[in-house]
Amino acid sequence: MNPTAVIYVLTAAAIFGIGLYGLLVSRQILRQLLTINLMGGGIFLLLITLGGGAEGPPDPVPQAMVLTGIVIAVSATAFALALLLRWQELSGSSEVDGDAVTDAVTDALDDDE
Amino acid sequence: MSFGWQALPLHIILVSVVTAILIFALGEQRQHTRTLLNLAGALLKLLLILIMLLAIQAGATFEFRLPLLPGLDLLLHADRLTMLFATLSALLWLVTTVYAIGYLEQSPNRARFFGFFSLCVAATMGVASAGNLFTFFIFYELLTLATWPLVVHRGTPEAFAAGRLYLAYTLAGGVLLLIGLVWLHTLAGAGDFIIDGSLAPIAAGNENALRGVFVLLMLGFGVKAALLPLHSWLPRAMVAPAPVSALLHAVAVVKAGAFGLVRLVQDVFGFELAASLGLTDLLAWMAAATIIYGSVLALKQNDLKRRLAYSTVSQVSYIALGVATGSVLATVGGLVHLVNQGLTKITLFFCAGNYAEAYGIHKVEELDGLGERMPVTSVCFTLGALGMIGVPPLAGFITKWHLGAGAITAGAPWVIAVLVASTLLNAAYFLPIVQRIWFRPLPEEMAQRHDRLGRIRRAALITPTVFVAVASLGAGLLAGIPGSPLFWVVRLVGVEGP
Amino acid sequence: MATPLQTPLQTHSTMTSEALVAVIFLPLLGACAAVMPGRFPARLGIVAGLLPLPGLLVAVTLAVWHDGPAWLELGGWAAPLGIRLFVDPLAVLMLWMVAIIGGIAAAHAWFDFPPGTGTGQKFWPLWLLLISAMNALFLSADLFNLYVCLELVTLTAIPLIALAGSKTAIRASMRYLLLALLASLLYLLGVALLYNATGTLDLYLVSDGLGAAPPMVVTTALALISLGLLLKGAVFPLHIWLPQAHASAPGPVSAVLSALVVKTAIYLLYRLWLWSVPATVAAEGALTLLAVLGAGALLYGGVLALLQERLKLVIAYSTVAQLGYLLLILPMASSSAWPIAWQGGTYQLLSHGLAKAAMFLAAANILHGLGSDRLSDLQRLDQRQPLSLFALAMAGVSIMGLPPSGGFLAKWLLLEATWRSGQWWLLAVLVAGSLLAAAYVFRILAATLRRDDPTEARPAAETRSIPAAQTACALLLALLALAAGFAAAPLLEFIEAGTPGTWSSP
């Protein structure tokens, strides 16, 4: 693996790590969404690097994967934002009570009545 | 697979299933149609069984087979043991239906009650005609499902508590049974399990595995047959309405367990094999312990139905004891008790229900002097009680005589001791009741009260009671003539027994 | 490129190929039609998108039955560049489940979401897309293509939950979405590593490259992919998003989520560990680990289902539990009892799908009728909604694994397999799981048979009537779950023909 690739891989790992850390510590749904996007960025960078190839033309398959992955990430983010807006309308808050990732969802569905 | 004449056992089951579905579909209000449907279903079933009985006499065979899994079929057939149990159940079902119609006259949720009642009998017929253990298990579990709504029928917290206990025992028993079956299946491979001696060829080298299978199956059946120490659901289930108790104790659930034990010893293992593995001794000792223990506990009960329930715990084990003792006479005693206990116990439960419905009487001490108020019911009760004790020449005597004689031929004289002890205990818990009914004065406040039954209800309750009482009397008095239960059992054992 | 498959290399007749493509594209086209304004295009889209599916599947089933599994190369492009579809008995089974459960649930949804009006305008395009995405997923043979399908499934399923509109539904949707996104990223990362190590994305060619690949990378890749799938499949202890999402969704959506959507992840786990990584040395420990998770799911889900106060939450936790069965079979993959275990697992997949969908539809009817699904509000349900209760009870019989039902036959096969392979701990887990199931199902049934408490001030609410067809949908599914207890022989023969490991060479 050439030195440039090493830099890319390390950067990718750093971005992914920052994202993961952010996901674990943030309580706000918007931040969580952003951190997941950040993690996605790290993975896409890694994919491009792995597909780069030391010599010869780069492998097109990872490129295609990243492109599709970005499209999916964008649409999922858009949808998440729409959900968040709806949540704010209903609850008047941008925070979801408890941690969305680690909170066990055992509470009853009382607030619907 | 054919659905024609050969599949008559299936049709007999379907009659009850269809009756149940129609009753559910009718809803709560259409009372007369429901009554008609109930009686038509019960009669049609009885008729079909009689036809099948005659056909079998004429040498016909019946078999319905539907492959469910590779190597495992749903197999319904009709051998003599099937017919014994099926005839008994169908007859008692008809009687219990009439009784239940009268008993539940004004109470809510009758559509639900009679629907499950029919399903329950369908399951019992399936148990009777199951041609292999796999099929037996299917109907055995179906019976659990169909009886639970009946046990909790009253909808009270006590009823639900009893229902929970019932499920805990029967479902756990079902699991044991299932594991035993899977084990047997892996040992014996594909095939029908109920075949004489089919296990003998694989017995060599598999002795301990077969012992394990037997114990698992015995415990699985033992739960419903209320073998010690698996019996405690039965007295608790007494919260159910009286016809349900009658059904549980005399026709369906307890009998299905006992029937399973009979099949296990006689048809699955065969007596020879079971005895050579030392398994029949185990069963006989468990049955003997249950007989004594049940009787002792019955002594302590003040609630009439609970006393009857412990009496059932005790009496049903006669069947297992007889089969496990093994000689021809003892087997006859055990099998004939399938019928005798059914007829006698259902008489007693009907009487208990009559007392409860007429005067709200549930306790033994409230029965004082009722003989003059309810003479017919009281005569029936007395007949039942004496039959249970085994006073000659009543039904219980026939059982005990054969059991005792069989024990001697089988070289197990200790069984006699059990019989004597049990008889004394039976007398000790039944005779005081009889004495109260006939020889104590009616209390003052009772003299003022009138029974709560109308004319029609009284007829609907008394007629079945008299019918089963006479039948149980006949099973004893006329045991020697062709057509009696004893006659059937002797032929059955003579042809198929060990 | 060499292929590990011995026999099933032929591509079937064009008619079968076209049927396969139509199974994916008809619902997709239907979704396009349903987006258009007005009632007519929506109705046309739904009917044309869903109704032909069973007919098409008959053709596919017959072809697979006679000629065995087959490939289809879309547009004539060969692997690794082209997108290959692969159809075998397992895929056919899943497609049938989508067609039947998806179809019946759609009939149920027709009343709550009238096509072309109001929320129906949003509901039906999503629904048809979801069906199309699941069909595509079950047929895809390409890891990246599968990623796209997984995302499509997630991104159509979650808005369907959110359509319930309640705060809980929105909150549950957000949780589901965040975790699903995380899961997709893990999956994608794993796929990237696997591609880098083996040089292929084809699910069935990966095994060729495994030998030459660095073991560390392969292990990491498989772990990441599995982790992503476990998260999407709500396998204990990653199930935290499931109960509320499934419980707060509209009834037919809950049915499809529990019966089909979570199964997509389990299906991919099967494909990954039983096809892509056939019996390599590392696999043994991994399969046992997955089974341990399954056992945890079965017990934990069962206990929590027992503690819930709401019908739909009980059913949702029951899903968490029942998914456990599907993982329990994995450690038996190398034993001689494997064909039996495989039949038991797939039969469980089928019967649970039917029974669980029936339960959710019945619960939706009950919720509509009573205005509440609290267990304490269900008293006298046998008088108020007898048919829905009947459906619930019959489906419950299958969930408990009591005869006669598909669930019973599945349990029998699983028990037999554990017994034959001597995996006693699995046997104990199976038994405990089925007793727990009996406890929570009977707890529901007991609640419905209670009488009104005369001391309670609040009488039972009036029952709103619901369309007879909705009741019929729940009943039909429940009857199918019971019928599965009688029709197993031919089905199992078909399933057995596709047992992984029996027809692919090492």
Side-chain angles (χ1 to χ4, degrees), chain C residues 224-249:
Chain C
L224 284 168
I225 295 177
S226 302
L227 194 61
L229 291 176
L230 289 171
L231 194 50
K232 287 227 175 188
V235 173
F236 173 84
L238 304 173
H239 63 278
I240 49 170
W241 59 266
L242 182 143
Q244 220 166 40
H246 285 201
S248 62

Side-chain angles (χ1 to χ4, degrees), chain C residues 292-309:
Chain C
V292 169
L293 294 182
L298 197 52
L299 302 179
Y300 181 84
V303 169
L304 276 179
L306 206 46
L307 298 176
Q308 301 307 312
E309 290 305 325

Side-chain angles (χ1 to χ4, degrees), chain C residues 381-424:
Chain C
L381 193 66
D382 61 316
Q383 316 272 305
R384 299 194 281 174
Q385 281 183 296
L387 290 176
S388 292
L389 175 59
F390 213 51
L392 194 68
M394 287 196 295
V397 168
S398 183
I399 293 288
M400 290 186 277
L402 288 181
S405 68
F408 165 64
L409 295 187
K411 194 170 88 179
W412 173 279
L413 288 168
L414 291 174
L415 278 175
E416 191 187 334
T418 51
W419 191 280
R420 283 189 194 275
S421 62
Q423 301 264 15
W424 308 116

Side-chain angles (χ1 to χ4, degrees), chain A residues 47 59 101 105 110 112-113, chain C residues 168 192 195 240 244 310 374:
Chain A
L47 269 171
D59 184 352
V101 177
V105 191
D110 281 333
D112 290 346
E113 288 176 1
Chain C
T168 324
Y195 174 71
I240 49 170
Q244 220 166 40
R310 293 196 160 214
R374 288 189 165 282

Side-chain angles (χ1 to χ4, degrees), chain A residues 3-111:
Chain A
T4 342
V6 173
I7 293 174
Y8 279 135
V9 169
L10 287 180
T11 316
I15 294 177
F16 186 86
I18 293 169
L20 188 61
Y21 171 76
L23 181 65
L24 292 177
V25 299
S26 55
R27 288 285 177 275
Q28 254 195 349
I29 200 96
L30 187 58
R31 279 174 186 273
Q32 292 180 339
L33 189 60
L34 290 175
T35 56
I36 286 182
N37 268 290
L38 204 55
M39 288 165 72
I43 291 174
F44 295 147
L45 185 55
L46 181 72
L47 269 171
I48 294 287
T49 313
L50 293 178
E55 62 273 345
D59 184 352
V61 174
Q63 312 274 343
M65 285 165 71
V66 168
L67 207 57
T68 319
I70 289 173
V71 171
I72 288 173
V74 167
S75 43
T77 308
F79 172 50
L81 288 173
L83 271 182
L84 188 58
L85 280 177
R86 184 88 187 113
W87 172 255
Q88 278 179 326
E89 258 172 54
L90 283 173
S91 70
S93 145
S94 67
E95 293 198 21
V96 179
D97 38 348
D99 185 341
V101 177
T102 55
D103 184 22
V105 191
T106 49
D107 45 339
L109 301 110
D110 281 333
D111 46 357

